[in-house]
Amino acid sequence: MSGSKDWTLIKRDELNGDFHEVECSETEAIEVLSVGMGRLAKSPTSPPIGLLNLLRERVADLDVLGSEITEPQVLVRIVKKIFPSAVRQTFFEDHELFWRKGKIGLRELVGRRLSQCSDPTCDLFYHFSLATFGGSVWPSNSLPELRERTYGSELYRSPPADKKAMKILATSIHVPSQSEEFTIAALELQKELEDAIDLSLSSGRIIVSQETPAGDRFIPPRVAKTLSRDEMDDGYSFLLSSDLPESILGSKTSLPNKRKRAKDWLSRVWDYFLLSERQPSQEDLMTVIQEKFGLTANAAKEVVKGYAKEIEVPVGRIAQRKQVNISEIRGVN
């Protein structure tokens, strides 16, 4: 990754919470963005090759989006429990269900999870697109417009097969250093993200809901895979299958895989609250892990205690100002 300080971020000060502009290297920028401590304020002058390579590895890791759902009995449970009386549920068994609307919401939903950052709201795919295609400098009041433009439809297309056409496209959008090779790779990454979304829709890793005059209805994977991106803006909402509790999935996942998923989630939870110098209780973590991953009390205890020992969590009572409510823990996806 580039060591030159050509990235400009608006970074949050860890001590007083104030925001200020800083120049940093690509490596430093990724670290700051990944933990939710800043946002991109100005495009780098050199291609973000390090971020490109990182995301090309992560875009293929569809398991982080959840299990494939194709079994008829699971689909029936989704209809009965998530869409009772044609009403899409936003909470189920004390779990918040993180539905997102439209194609932009879908890209954010998938991009955030595939980014695999400690801050669950961080979307490195969006930051990459912004750094590569978004422009150069962005005042705060332009961010909503940038979100629409950057995560809208005009850039999310198959790269032109002809390199001459690719070069022409590169001149019409912001690309650091106007590198033809990098431009091709960057557009291919966007295509790979779209392919990941299509595969996840067709395999049931993404649950689809449609608003209709008769109420909300579940769209099965065989139909969801036929939706165009423009159709998705017409009353469709999306949820990752990983947000569904095991009571619906009836998962056949092996115990080692359940433990691994639970530990990965536990790592994200710990990092998330560490940012605000807060600490969730191990008892609450065990409770949520049992609910979320279908582990027994003993298995959940082994996961939490083992991880706490691994990262050397201090033993003893948690100060009141550092305590975390269990509802906040359930809210981390």
Side-chain angles (χ1 to χ4, degrees), residues 182-302:
F182 174 77
T183 303
I184 293 172
L187 287 167
E188 286 176 344
L189 173 63
Q190 301 219 110
K191 176 65 164 53
E192 288 168 18
L193 179 59
E194 295 301 296
D195 289 344
I197 291 173
D198 288 337
L199 284 171
S200 299
L201 287 167
S202 63
S203 65
R205 282 190 168 97
I206 297 174
I207 311 300
V208 183
S209 168
Q210 182 188 20
E211 298 174 13
T212 75
D216 302 306
R217 68 170 183 151
F218 169 62
I219 305 299
R222 60 182 173 76
V223 177
K225 69 180 181 180
T226 67
L227 294 173
S228 70
R229 294 296 186 263
D230 288 339
E231 287 176 315
M232 291 174 178
D233 283 331
D234 189 17
Y236 287 90
S237 297
F238 306 92
L239 174 77
L240 298 180
S241 68
S242 59
D243 287 340
L244 293 174
E246 297 290 334
S247 62
I248 289 180
L249 295 175
S251 178
K252 298 177 182 178
T253 305
S254 67
L255 181 57
N257 283 340
K258 285 184 179 181
R259 287 175 181 268
K260 181 182 183 302
R261 287 178 56 210
K263 184 178 178 182
D264 290 344
W265 173 83
L266 185 60
S267 174
R268 293 197 299 273
V269 170
W270 218 284
D271 288 346
Y272 179 71
F273 290 112
L274 188 64
L275 290 174
S276 56
E277 298 184 345
R278 301 165 68 206
Q279 182 179 329
S281 78
Q282 294 186 29
E283 289 74 18
D284 286 346
L285 289 170
M286 293 174 203
T287 298
V288 177
I289 280 178
Q290 289 179 69
E291 298 168 352
K292 194 173 183 70
F293 300 100
L295 291 173
T296 65
N298 284 338
K301 182 177 181 180
E302 289 176 8

Side-chain angles (χ1 to χ4, degrees), residues 14-291:
E14 296 182 35
L15 296 178
N16 57 30
D18 292 339
F19 287 87
H20 57 279
E21 192 171 286
V22 297
E23 293 183 354
C24 57
S25 67
E26 181 180 3
T27 303
E28 293 166 334
I30 293 172
E31 291 176 356
V32 171
L33 295 171
S34 296
V35 298
M37 294 295 289
R39 65 170 177 80
L40 190 57
K42 182 180 179 182
S43 277
T45 55
S46 57
I49 296 173
L51 183 54
L52 170 69
N53 292 336
L54 176 68
L55 294 180
R56 295 200 86 163
E57 291 178 6
R58 294 185 178 178
V59 75
D61 191 7
L62 299 186
D63 286 342
V64 302
L65 303 179
S67 305
E68 294 187 5
I69 298 178
T70 54
E71 300 88 348
Q73 64 270 30
V74 179
L75 300 178
V76 169
R77 281 198 293 271
I78 289 174
V79 173
K80 288 183 176 179
K81 296 185 178 183
I82 304 300
F83 294 85
S85 303
V87 178
R88 173 171 55 87
Q89 302 298 290
T90 55
F91 278 88
F92 182 79
E93 294 181 351
D94 294 324
H95 287 277
E96 183 175 0
L97 303 178
F98 297 92
W99 294 94
R100 303 302 297 270
K101 288 189 174 184
K103 65 175 177 287
I104 292 179
L106 174 61
R107 285 172 178 143
E108 288 179 334
L109 181 70
V110 174
R112 288 177 178 182
R113 191 61 62 85
L114 288 178
S115 294
Q116 301 180 49
C117 297
S118 57
D119 175 12
T121 67
C122 176
D123 183 352
L124 292 178
F125 290 89
Y126 171 74
H127 288 301
F128 176 81
S129 295
L130 197 59
T132 305
F133 306 117
S136 54
V137 182
W138 315 291
S140 296
N141 59 9
S142 71
L143 292 179
E145 178 188 341
L146 277 166
R147 176 179 175 272
E148 292 289 327
R149 193 177 82 203
T150 305
Y151 249 4
S153 60
E154 69 274 15
L155 288 173
Y156 283 80
R157 54 191 161 195
S158 299
D162 180 73
K163 288 194 175 184
K164 184 177 180 181
M166 184 76 72
K167 194 169 185 179
I168 293 172
L169 176 60
T171 64
S172 67
I173 54 182
H174 171 81
V175 179
S177 79
Q178 294 292 301
S179 161
E180 181 181 350
E181 181 181 0
F182 174 77
T183 303
I184 293 172
L187 287 167
E188 286 176 344
L189 173 63
Q190 301 219 110
K191 176 65 164 53
E192 288 168 18
L193 179 59
E194 295 301 296
D195 289 344
I197 291 173
D198 288 337
L199 284 171
S200 299
L201 287 167
S202 63
S203 65
R205 282 190 168 97
I206 297 174
I207 311 300
V208 183
S209 168
Q210 182 188 20
E211 298 174 13
T212 75
D216 302 306
R217 68 170 183 151
F218 169 62
I219 305 299
R222 60 182 173 76
V223 177
K225 69 180 181 180
T226 67
L227 294 173
S228 70
R229 294 296 186 263
D230 288 339
E231 287 176 315
M232 291 174 178
D233 283 331
D234 189 17
Y236 287 90
S237 297
F238 306 92
L239 174 77
L240 298 180
S241 68
S242 59
D243 287 340
L244 293 174
E246 297 290 334
S247 62
I248 289 180
L249 295 175
S251 178
K252 298 177 182 178
T253 305
S254 67
L255 181 57
N257 283 340
K258 285 184 179 181
R259 287 175 181 268
K260 181 182 183 302
R261 287 178 56 210
K263 184 178 178 182
D264 290 344
W265 173 83
L266 185 60
S267 174
R268 293 197 299 273
V269 170
W270 218 284
D271 288 346
Y272 179 71
F273 290 112
L274 188 64
L275 290 174
S276 56
E277 298 184 345
R278 301 165 68 206
Q279 182 179 329
S281 78
Q282 294 186 29
E283 289 74 18
D284 286 346
L285 289 170
M286 293 174 203
T287 298
V288 177
I289 280 178
Q290 289 179 69
E291 298 168 352

